[in-house]
């Protein structure tokens, strides 16, 4: 029931009531040629895809990469629309892109991750859209900053855009992970909490950066009750001029979507709830235990800060930290915890521990001289 009313409030579903969860948007990273664009679109339409994406102005991290075909691609997108009946979506990064896309009859616009980080650019797009009723999707900024993401959505809301959506495409990280961009699922979940009427569409292609990992990310998005998927698909992914490693063929996309298991958020089964409550109680106790132990560890760090201060020794001894990292990582690994998680966990503990020692070392600093 709750799910139904949420659906009715979902501004992108208003776009077409036939769209049920997940809302799927698929198409190549970039429109490269008319044949590639139309060939990909026809194959996707044959698999029942209703919304086609293709970038024509491509913000690339490094110069000398393929930067998109530009406005000519809009004509190919129009042909896709006429030919297949699919809605067409493209990325806009400034007012000129907005005017050209609107003139060409583009149905859905999206703002890219490198644009969302810049409030001036987002405001320029919002101003260009004032008074226009078109769905706009905002990709998360490259940095894990929820307020910046929300700020961009708010700028569009203030310009009168009501059919707003968010695209969760992962976040740049300095850590080495098997993903191109860290999903930080909690940020997407928090966005839904802060803006419940805005559907969140996960982009497993840009999160994973690897076509073999697209299915797993898509399934995780569904299990976290996110609303849709944007997946890059290309008629010949290996030959793609951008993001070749992460694109799938239309047939592969179809197989991924068919394999997805859409689980219900709840069931009316007493035994299920009883068992779940039992397990949740265990988790609650363990979390309490972990937090109490962490607080105790910080008390000991402060004690170390006191003796280091007394003996005029620096907070950080890099060799000790290296030893901790290696030993604990090996222990975590032997217990089935991923190296990525252990690194993040140990770094967080270390940073907090340094903060506690620093507090002790530098308290009364002014009095101490
Ligand atoms: C894209 O969708 O092809 C793209 C450039 O994505 P992002 O803005 O997420 O990097
Ligand atoms: Mn791409």
């Amino acid at each position: 029931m709750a799910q139904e009313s949420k659906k009715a409030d979902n501004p992108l579903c208003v776009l077409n009531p036939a769209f049920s969860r997940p809302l799927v948007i698929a198409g190549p990273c970039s429109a490269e040629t008319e044949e590639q664009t139309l060939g990909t679109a026809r194959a996707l339409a044959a698999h029942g895809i209703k919304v086609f994406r293709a970038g024509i102005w491509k913000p690339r991290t490094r110069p000398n990469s393929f930067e998109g075909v530009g406005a000519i691609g809009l004509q190919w997108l129009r042909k896709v629309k006429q030919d297949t009946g699919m809605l067409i979506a493209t990325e806009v990064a400034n007012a000129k892109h907005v005017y050209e896309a609107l003139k060409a009859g583009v149905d859905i616009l999206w703002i890219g991750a490198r644009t969302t980080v810049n409030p001036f650019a987002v405001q320029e797009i919002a101003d260009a859209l004032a008074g226009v009723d078109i769905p706009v999707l905002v990709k998360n900024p490259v940095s894990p900053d929820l307020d910046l993401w929300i700020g961009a959505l708010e700028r569009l809301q203030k310009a009168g855009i009501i059919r707003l959506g968010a695209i969760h495409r992962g976040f740049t990280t300095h850590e080495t992970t098997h993903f191109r961009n860290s999903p930080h699922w909690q940020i997407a979940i928090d966005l839904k909490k802060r803006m419940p009427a805005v559907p969140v569409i996960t982009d497993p292609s840009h999160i994973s950066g690897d076509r073999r990992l697209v299915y797993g990310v898509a399934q995780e998005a569904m299990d976290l009750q996110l609303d849709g998927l944007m997946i890059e698909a290309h008629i010949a992914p290996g030959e793609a001029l951008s993001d070749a490693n992460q694109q799938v063929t239309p047939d592969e996309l179809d197989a991924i979507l068919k394999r997805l298991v859409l689980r219900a958020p709840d069931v009316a089964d007493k035994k299920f709830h009883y068992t779940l409550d039992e397990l949740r109680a265990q988790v609650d106790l363990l979390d309490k235990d972990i937090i109490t132990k962490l607080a105790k560890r910080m008390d000991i760090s402060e004690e170390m800060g006191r003796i280091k201060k007394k003996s005029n020794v620096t907070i950080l001894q890099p060799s000790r930290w290296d030893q901790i990292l290696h030993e604990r990582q090996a222990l975590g690994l032997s217990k089935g915890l991923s190296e990525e998680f252990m690194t993040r966990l140990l770094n967080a503990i270390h940073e907090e521990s340094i903060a506690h020692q620093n507090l002790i070392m530098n308290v009364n600093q002014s009095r101490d001289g």
Side-chain angles (χ1 to χ4, degrees):
M1 199 58 206
Q3 195 62 5
E4 282 310 303
S5 67
K6 202 185 90 204
K7 219 183 215 177
D9 294 341
N10 178 325
L12 282 176
C13 285
V14 173
L15 174 76
N16 182 340
F19 290 143
S20 51
R21 184 174 165 269
L23 170 70
V24 177
I25 302 175
C29 177
S30 306
E32 298 163 5
T33 64
E34 185 171 334
E35 297 68 44
Q36 167 257 358
T37 307
L38 270 133
T40 305
R42 286 188 188 123
L44 289 169
H47 285 305
I49 301 296
K50 303 270 190 298
V51 188
F52 182 74
R53 64 145 282 157
I56 57 174
W57 298 289
K58 302 298 300 177
R60 305 308 300 279
T61 302
R62 309 273 307 273
N64 306 324
S65 330
F66 173 63
E67 294 194 318
V69 292
I72 192 169
L74 291 169
Q75 294 172 27
W76 308 339
L77 286 176
R78 275 175 79 99
K79 280 200 181 150
V80 165
K81 192 168 158 171
Q82 284 162 3
D83 222 64
T84 66
M86 279 195 276
L87 297 176
I88 49 173
T90 201
E91 172 173 347
V92 289
N94 57 40
K96 189 168 167 281
H97 294 164
V98 171
Y99 298 135
E100 292 194 32
L102 292 177
K103 210 165 67 192
V106 170
D107 299 292
I108 299 175
L109 304 176
W110 85 78
I111 296 181
R114 291 165 192 77
T115 305
T116 310
V117 287
N118 182 350
F120 287 135
V122 176
Q123 192 58 52
E124 180 184 318
I125 294 168
D127 291 344
L129 283 168
V132 182
D133 178 22
I134 186 169
V136 183
L137 308 174
V138 180
K139 285 202 168 197
N140 64 254
V142 284
S143 46
D145 184 339
L146 177 58
D147 279 322
L148 202 52
W149 198 2
I150 289 178
L153 288 158
E154 285 170 342
R155 284 176 197 278
L156 292 156
Q157 232 165 15
K158 280 179 89 174
I161 297 292
I162 33 173
R163 290 183 289 167
L164 267 182
I167 302 177
H168 163 232
R169 51 77 78 196
F171 302 86
T172 304
T173 170
H174 68 282
E175 285 157 11
T176 31
T177 76
H178 54 293
F179 285 142
R180 179 177 176 195
N181 291 294
S182 268
H184 291 309
W185 294 103
Q186 193 57 47
I187 297 180
I189 292 164
D190 288 346
L191 176 69
K192 276 187 82 75
K193 221 184 292 164
R194 300 252 307 259
M195 298 185 94
V198 175
V200 178
I201 296 167
T202 292
D203 174 343
S205 311
H206 287 90
I207 288 178
S208 65
D210 178 339
R211 66 177 66 85
R212 293 167 303 180
L213 305 176
V214 166
Y215 165 75
V217 177
Q219 182 62 60
E220 195 161 352
M222 293 300 96
D223 287 336
L224 293 171
Q225 286 193 60
L226 299 179
D227 305 283
L229 298 168
M230 177 184 258
I231 299 182
E232 286 187 339
H234 190 292
I235 200 82
E239 289 158 30
L241 297 181
S242 58
D243 290 350
N245 294 337
Q246 69 194 32
Q247 303 202 58
V248 296
T249 64
D251 284 350
E252 284 163 349
L253 175 73
D254 187 52
I256 287 171
L257 295 176
K258 287 202 171 110
R259 224 178 120 195
L260 283 180
V261 183
L262 294 184
R263 298 179 171 99
D266 205 353
V267 282
D269 173 346
K270 275 207 178 114
K271 188 160 177 283
F272 163 81
H273 281 285
Y274 179 76
T275 316
L276 187 64
D277 286 349
E278 286 250 292
L279 293 170
R280 282 184 172 156
Q282 285 181 42
V283 166
D284 290 350
L285 277 178
L286 282 170
D287 282 352
K288 251 189 219 160
D289 204 30
I290 291 170
I291 293 167
T292 311
K293 289 214 160 91
L294 281 173
K296 203 164 170 190
R297 192 189 190 284
M298 296 310 152
D299 287 346
I300 297 174
S301 289
E302 288 184 12
E303 195 48 43
M304 289 195 291
R306 270 181 212 105
I307 65 160
K308 284 180 188 173
K309 183 178 182 180
K310 226 166 148 191
S311 305
N312 226 7
V313 172
T314 57
I315 293 177
L316 184 68
Q317 281 81 41
S319 58
R320 162 75 180 150
W321 174 236
D322 278 352
Q323 177 208 341
I324 287 187
L325 204 60
H326 283 114
E327 276 179 23
R328 312 290 199 265
Q329 240 163 3
L331 179 65
L333 237 61
S334 75
K335 296 196 177 295
L337 300 172
S338 73
E339 192 178 335
E340 195 182 322
F341 168 70
M342 285 307 297
T343 308
R344 263 191 288 140
L345 176 71
L346 292 167
N347 277 331
I349 293 175
H350 191 227
E351 272 170 30
E352 183 70 9
S353 166
I354 288 178
H356 279 257
Q357 291 194 41
N358 191 39
L359 201 73
I360 295 298
M361 298 279 257
N362 296 314
V363 83
N364 302 332
Q365 179 80 328
S366 52
R367 234 189 307 150
D368 287 350

